[in-house]
Amino acid sequence: MNRSDAVKEIAVRVLDRLFPEFAMGDHTGWEKVIDQARKKVPDALKTVGYAGEPQEHPVCKALLKALTPSAKGSEL
């Protein structure tokens, strides 16, 4: 393994430790989910492989928990 690969691997490990829940929401389909949700498509989360109730998806759950009347979009 060369130095560049070693540095990348270490960086990934550090990020995994800092953000252990990131993998739950790491999917390229979220933009499509948002577009579909705006169109009120009831099963928009199927795009990211989730078929359950939207409020039970770990990412949605975290966002709902973070939403407060004083929360700014940039804080989410």
Side-chain angles (χ1 to χ4, degrees):
M1 178 182 300
N2 63 37
R3 280 189 193 182
S4 176
D5 291 338
V7 170
K8 287 178 187 175
E9 184 177 332
I10 290 168
V12 168
R13 287 182 185 182
V14 168
L15 290 172
D16 285 344
R17 286 184 187 167
L18 287 172
F19 306 103
E21 296 175 345
F22 182 79
M24 287 187 296
D26 188 21
H27 196 288
T28 59
W30 280 106
E31 187 174 340
K32 290 179 184 177
V33 171
I34 293 168
D35 289 341
Q36 290 179 353
R38 286 183 177 143
K39 294 175 186 173
K40 302 192 186 305
V41 174
D43 58 353
L45 288 172
K46 283 187 178 178
T47 304
V48 293
Y50 185 78
E53 293 296 318
Q55 65 272 17
E56 296 302 319
H57 187 280
V59 172
C60 297
K61 214 178 228 186
L63 283 172
L64 289 170
K65 184 178 178 182
L67 285 176
T68 63
S70 62
K72 297 179 183 177
S74 60
E75 295 171 344
L76 297 176

